[in-house]
Amino acid sequence: MHYCLFQFSINTREFKFAQTMIFAIEEINQNPAILPHHTLGYKIYNACGWLHLLAFVNSQKPFLMLSPFICSAKLSHFATCTCLSDRKEFPSFFRTIPSDLHQSRALAKLVKHFGWTWVGAISNKNDYGVNGIASFIKAAQEQGVCIEYYQAFEQTGPLGELAKVVETVKYSSSKVIVAFMSHREIKVLAAELYKQNITGLQWVGSDAWITDHSLTDSEGHSVLVGSMGFVVSRARIPGLEDHLRGLHPSQFPHSQFFRDFWEGVFDCSLNEAENIQKKPCSGSESFQNVHLQFTDVSELRFTNNVYKSVYAVAYALHNLTTCEEGGGPFFNASCANTAHIQPWQVLHYLQNINFTTTQGERVTFDQNGDSPARYELVNVQSASSGTIHVATVGVFDATLPDENQIILNDVEIVWGGGGGGHTVPVSVCSESCPPGRRKVLQKQKPICCYDCVLCAEGEISNITDSVECLKCPIEFWPNTRGDTCILKEIEFLSFAEMMGIILTVFCLMGAFLTTMIAIVFFQFRETPIVRANNSELSFLLLFSLTLCFLCSLTFIGRPSQWSCMLRHTAFGITFVLCISCVLGKTIVVLMAFRATLPGSNVMKWFGPVQQRLSVVAFTLVQVVICILWLTINPPFPFKNLLHYKDRIILECSLGSAVGFWAVLGYIGLLAILCFILAFLARKLPDNFNEAKLITFSMLIFCAVWITFIPAYVSSPGKFTVAVEIFAILASSYGLLFCLFIPKCFIIVMRPEQNTKKHLMGKTTKDIQY
């Protein structure tokens, strides 16, 4: 049985395709595993026709004439137009080359892969160019690539079309051009660009021209060095080279094309009568000893598609003829009648073929008759007269996951675009926005044209070309570059910082000084100046002042639950104890003066027992206030996130503000009462009392704490704590210096004044008075 296949006879390349078809048919006919009882035949036309459908190879084997429709079914090795995938318009079209739709998408991903987001697009005006570039533009936009311009022209079109394209390229800012056209248009365009010295461009080409050796025919071929594009994968076809080199005119006695080809290669004439200007062919000429593009099988790309096409038909017919009844694909599991094969039956088997070539390549068709998309990425690395060197630098495989479809080889790429051959060209409308900034589109321009602006306060962008900034979580803040959220610095008054060290020194120095004064008083406890000023209350006052200095230390360091409760209650109680002692001393001064009056017996009502009870009573009130505060709503550590945007203030929340101000208010009440009493006793004789010193100390105390309130409310962060410590230290030092330093000075430096006579006012001045 003989089946017909068609091939066009156009040029040397097409003749090579035809010979590949013949080679494949002969190989199949010699293979007993494929169509074992049938042979394939062929007849070659300049166009697919309806006549002479039968051709035979071996008349001794059975054959069957097929319906003309089988020959009208198209199986292409070269047609890539996306339009041919329309099954409604082309229901019987198959191809062993991927559709331009896949190539367009691959080109879009290639452009995106190298970061070229601002490109120009040029095509010719036929279906191949227009449909291919339209698919590319759509795919490129989906990839985030912007098209600066699109121009189209034809080699045979008006000169104005080409001039317009060249003018557009000349004044555009994009450095990458995607050219979807044939080798004819690209040669014309390259020549014109070369003439006008328009260089520095990176070309990305379609498979119709990227590997075409005829590019070197153009004087502008140097412009195209560095071009990149996708082509169908290379393959090896064992035995094909021998077949091509073994061809001879005697095998094609009626082919004028082969006669002309032979005479052109060997520069001789097969018919001396027809061409007397050339030497006659001797008959010993052979392709074995000449180097021709025709016999070169090192770059079998489209040729391999021809080879696969023949095998696809052979396998389809093989499956049809070997179908077993009851296991067929048609109605009631029937098979095709090999005596009356219907066209749709052949198409069914062709649609469902699935085989692997001897070279390991899988051949199948999808529902549109298209082959799987797998390309090689090639790079034009050099070009000279008649020779173009193309290197495979990667592959594209549409069956892989989207992010892994482009795989680059470890081969150095020669770049166009004026990058020195080794630097990837840059073609963007706007430079990339680094992390820490975001893109803001420029008005009335494509999305690839934008300005880079800093992220707002508290926001970051951690990727290049971010379209928006991300707000940091509440406890985080951007780093200096604005690309990472880092934990906010936690701020509190630390023992390790300078302010904390200074305050700690003053606290300890105050406690040490108070202890030294207490030691001096204890050493001279029997002297008149110590005994006359109520030594018991003095020692209690010195003890309370020591506690006041030491309680300041609880305000320094990282706040905790216990430190927050301790600092305020300890401060409140120790200060009340201190003021209670001063108040007791003031009352003693007043009572002592009245006791010197004739007939007065007032001191019996405010003796040592009453003094102790008064101090305990005044202090106990503060203790009760603190207990209620700690029980109802105690202070607690609190992260203040609102005062500063970039820092967290770790502070002690008051818990109950009423409790805090009650503690301060009670201290203030006692201080004012003490001040009033001391003020009333200020005119008593100097040597009888210390009322003036108490008055002055209370004046300092009240001034400090009145100033403390606005300073405390307005101070930020750790300075709030520092102000509170300063108020405690200032008032404590004020009491210490006013009440005890003068006495210590007399005890140590003026012992002659530390006498009962001096204290009783028995001086000359007093007597005269």
Side-chain angles (χ1 to χ4, degrees):
M1 185 178 295
H2 305 266
Y3 302 98
C4 61
L5 299 172
F6 293 97
Q7 191 69 8
F8 295 98
S9 178
I10 299 175
N11 53 28
T12 304
R13 183 174 64 177
E14 296 298 331
F15 183 57
K16 185 175 183 177
F17 291 163
Q19 288 301 319
T20 302
M21 180 189 73
I22 295 171
F23 170 78
I25 290 174
E26 293 176 349
E27 191 175 65
I28 292 169
N29 288 335
Q30 294 171 11
N31 187 347
I34 306 177
L35 292 170
H37 305 296
H38 305 81
T39 57
L40 283 177
Y42 63 89
K43 192 164 188 176
I44 300 174
Y45 294 88
N46 283 334
C48 190
W50 293 88
L51 303 177
H52 307 293
L53 298 177
L54 181 64
F56 62 91
V57 174
N58 190 339
S59 60
Q60 296 179 355
K61 288 189 178 182
F63 66 89
L64 178 67
M65 177 177 266
L66 300 181
S67 166
F69 185 79
I70 297 177
C71 291
S72 66
K74 296 178 179 63
L75 179 54
S76 176
H77 63 282
F78 202 73
T80 58
C81 181
T82 306
C83 58
L84 296 171
S85 297
D86 186 351
R87 266 292 182 250
K88 292 182 179 180
E89 188 172 356
F90 304 101
S92 60
F93 181 81
F94 296 86
R95 51 183 158 191
T96 52
I97 188 171
S99 162
D100 282 337
L101 177 64
H102 298 295
Q103 183 181 192
S104 299
R105 291 175 178 173
L107 290 174
K109 290 182 179 180
L110 177 68
V111 168
K112 181 65 175 180
H113 180 83
F114 290 113
W116 301 325
T117 58
W118 188 239
V119 302
I122 305 175
S123 76
N124 51 6
K125 286 188 172 182
N126 59 18
D127 287 344
Y128 170 77
V130 173
N131 292 333
I133 206 69
S135 297
F136 165 76
I137 291 174
K138 180 181 178 182
Q141 290 172 343
E142 292 173 355
Q143 295 287 331
V145 177
C146 296
I147 309 301
E148 183 183 11
Y149 62 84
Y150 166 56
Q151 294 290 334
F153 75 102
E154 282 289 342
Q155 176 202 16
T156 57
L159 292 178
E161 285 185 350
L162 179 60
K164 183 180 179 181
V165 173
V166 173
E167 191 76 4
T168 301
V169 172
K170 183 176 182 178
Y171 293 103
S172 65
S173 59
S174 57
K175 300 301 179 184
V176 174
I177 301 176
V178 177
F180 222 100
M181 56 185 66
S182 73
H183 62 283
R184 293 180 292 273
E185 280 77 22
I186 195 67
K187 285 194 292 185
V188 173
L189 178 58
E192 190 61 30
L193 293 173
Y194 179 77
K195 288 178 183 178
Q196 298 194 28
N197 196 27
I198 302 174
T199 58
L201 301 173
Q202 174 66 51
W203 292 87
V204 178
S206 61
D207 57 2
W209 68 266
I210 194 67
T211 58
D212 198 302
H213 286 262
S214 68
L215 293 179
T216 56
D217 297 344
S218 167
E219 61 176 337
H221 63 263
S222 60
V223 173
L224 302 176
V225 173
S227 300
M228 301 181 72
F230 290 108
V231 294
V232 295
S233 301
R234 286 181 298 178
R236 289 182 63 255
I237 304 178
L240 179 60
E241 183 177 10
D242 293 337
H243 173 80
L244 296 177
R245 291 189 179 276
L247 293 177
H248 193 271
S250 60
Q251 297 172 279
F252 308 96
H254 304 296
S255 173
Q256 184 60 44
F257 172 83
F258 192 78
R259 292 170 60 88
D260 295 340
F261 176 53
W262 187 272
E263 291 176 351
V265 171
F266 296 106
D267 193 25
C268 65
S269 174
L270 288 170
N271 191 332
E272 299 180 41
E274 291 183 2
N275 192 340
I276 60 174
Q277 296 179 350
K278 289 186 177 181
K279 64 180 180 179
C281 295
S282 64
S284 61
E285 297 87 5
S286 172
F287 289 143
Q288 297 289 346
N289 302 319
V290 295
H291 178 71
L292 298 173
Q293 190 65 37
F294 174 73
T295 57
D296 185 6
V297 295
S298 62
E299 293 282 335
L300 297 180
R301 299 182 188 276
F302 301 111
T303 304
N304 185 50
N305 290 340
V306 176
Y307 186 76
K308 291 188 295 183
S309 297
V310 176
Y311 268 88
V313 172
Y315 273 106
L317 294 172
H318 176 82
N319 293 337
L320 183 148
T321 57
T322 57
C323 174
E324 296 182 0
E325 285 298 330
F330 306 124
F331 182 71
N332 288 335
S334 62
C335 297
N337 185 351
T338 55
H340 301 283
I341 298 175
Q342 300 298 315
W344 58 271
Q345 295 171 329
V346 178
L347 293 179
H348 170 82
Y349 280 100
L350 194 59
Q351 178 70 67
N352 292 281
I353 62 109
N354 188 346
F355 68 94
T356 303
T357 66
T358 55
Q359 291 76 45
E361 186 175 359
R362 182 167 169 262
V363 180
T364 186
F365 299 114
D366 64 15
Q367 66 274 14
N368 296 320
D370 292 331
S371 292
R374 192 177 189 278
Y375 300 100
E376 287 185 2
L377 176 61
V378 296
N379 175 222
V380 179
Q381 300 204 330
S382 64
S384 58
S385 180
T387 304
I388 181 171
H389 174 58
V390 178
T392 299
V393 295
V395 295
F396 174 87
D397 193 340
T399 62
L400 297 176
D402 190 69
E403 65 276 8
N404 298 326
Q405 290 180 348
I406 293 180
I407 303 172
L408 296 181
N409 299 337
D410 189 19
V411 177
E412 186 175 9
I413 298 175
V414 175
W415 299 99
H422 302 289
T423 304
V424 181
V426 176
S427 185
V428 295
C429 182
S430 300
E431 293 294 330
S432 293
C433 290
R437 297 173 180 262
R438 65 181 179 90
K439 298 194 297 187
V440 176
L441 297 181
Q442 297 176 358
K443 291 183 179 180
Q444 299 179 342
K445 287 191 175 182
I447 61 171
C448 300
C449 302
Y450 48 80
D451 297 315
C452 296
V453 298
L454 287 170
C455 289
E457 192 175 54
E459 296 182 345
I460 66 160
S461 65
N462 54 8
I463 59 173
T464 302
D465 287 337
S466 176
V467 296
E468 61 181 9
C469 294
L470 305 175
K471 193 169 184 64
C472 287
I474 188 67
E475 294 192 4
F476 290 79
W477 192 254
N479 60 355
T480 54
R481 295 186 302 274
D483 58 1
T484 304
C485 288
I486 57 176
L487 279 170
K488 290 181 180 178
E489 178 185 353
I490 296 180
E491 180 181 276
F492 59 89
L493 185 60
S494 168
F495 286 104
E497 61 181 293
M498 184 57 65
M499 185 187 300
I501 293 173
I502 293 173
L503 292 174
T504 300
V505 169
F506 275 96
C507 291
L508 296 176
M509 189 170 64
F512 176 76
L513 185 59
T514 305
T515 303
M516 291 297 101
I517 292 173
I519 292 172
V520 171
F521 266 54
F522 182 79
Q523 290 292 332
F524 294 91
R525 61 186 179 278
E526 301 298 332
T527 61
I529 198 168
V530 176
R531 292 171 59 85
N533 286 282
N534 198 322
S535 60
E536 187 173 330
L537 286 181
S538 295
F539 282 113
L540 186 59
L541 178 57
L542 286 170
F543 173 71
S544 64
L545 282 174
T546 303
L547 294 180
C548 287
F549 283 117
L550 294 178
C551 82
S552 299
L553 296 176
T554 63
F555 288 83
I556 306 174
R558 189 182 187 92
S560 65
Q561 186 70 41
W562 286 104
S563 68
C564 286
M565 292 191 295
L566 178 63
R567 66 172 56 171
H568 290 102
T569 54
F571 149 71
I573 293 171
T574 55
F575 254 78
V576 165
L577 178 62
C578 182
I579 299 300
S580 298
C581 293
V582 176
L583 183 60
K585 291 172 69 69
T586 306
I587 294 173
V588 168
V589 171
L590 286 173
M591 295 301 104
F593 176 74
R594 288 190 174 273
T596 60
L597 297 177
S600 176
N601 195 24
V602 70
M603 281 304 294
K604 71 176 183 179
W605 299 107
F606 202 74
V609 176
Q610 288 82 3
Q611 293 171 24
R612 296 188 196 103
L613 289 176
S614 66
V615 171
V616 171
F618 286 136
T619 305
L620 189 60
V621 173
Q622 185 74 304
V623 171
V624 171
I625 294 174
C626 289
I627 291 174
L628 291 174
W629 183 14
L630 295 178
T631 303
I632 298 172
N633 192 3
F636 57 90
F638 169 70
K639 290 181 178 180
N640 188 338
L641 302 169
L642 301 178
H643 196 89
Y644 292 112
K645 294 180 179 179
D646 59 341
R647 282 174 285 167
I648 297 175
I649 303 173
L650 190 59
E651 59 186 20
C652 286
S653 175
L654 296 176
S656 172
V658 175
F660 175 72
W661 292 111
V663 168
L664 283 186
Y666 184 64
I667 295 173
L669 178 65
L670 293 181
I672 292 172
L673 179 61
C674 187
F675 174 74
I676 292 172
L677 293 178
F679 182 78
L680 294 176
R682 73 190 186 284
K683 292 185 179 180
L684 295 177
D686 292 348
N687 294 348
F688 272 95
N689 66 89
E690 51 186 346
K692 287 184 178 180
L693 296 177
I694 293 175
T695 302
F696 188 65
S697 66
M698 287 298 101
L699 186 63
I700 294 174
F701 186 91
C702 293
V704 167
W705 286 99
I706 290 172
T707 307
F708 160 77
I709 294 174
Y712 178 83
V713 173
S714 61
S715 297
K718 59 187 178 184
F719 296 102
T720 304
V721 180
V723 166
E724 196 166 357
I725 296 174
F726 177 79
I728 295 172
L729 292 178
S731 54
S732 299
Y733 273 110
L735 290 173
L736 185 66
F737 282 14
C738 290
L739 297 179
F740 293 100
I741 294 299
K743 298 179 180 64
C744 286
F745 180 78
I746 292 173
I747 292 172
V748 177
M749 305 301 295
R750 297 286 189 269
E752 68 277 6
Q753 295 182 8
N754 189 7
T755 63
K756 185 175 181 181
K757 179 180 179 181
H758 182 78
L759 292 176
M760 294 299 293
K762 303 296 185 177
T763 61
T764 305
K765 178 181 176 182
D766 293 333
I767 294 173
Q768 291 177 347
Y769 178 78

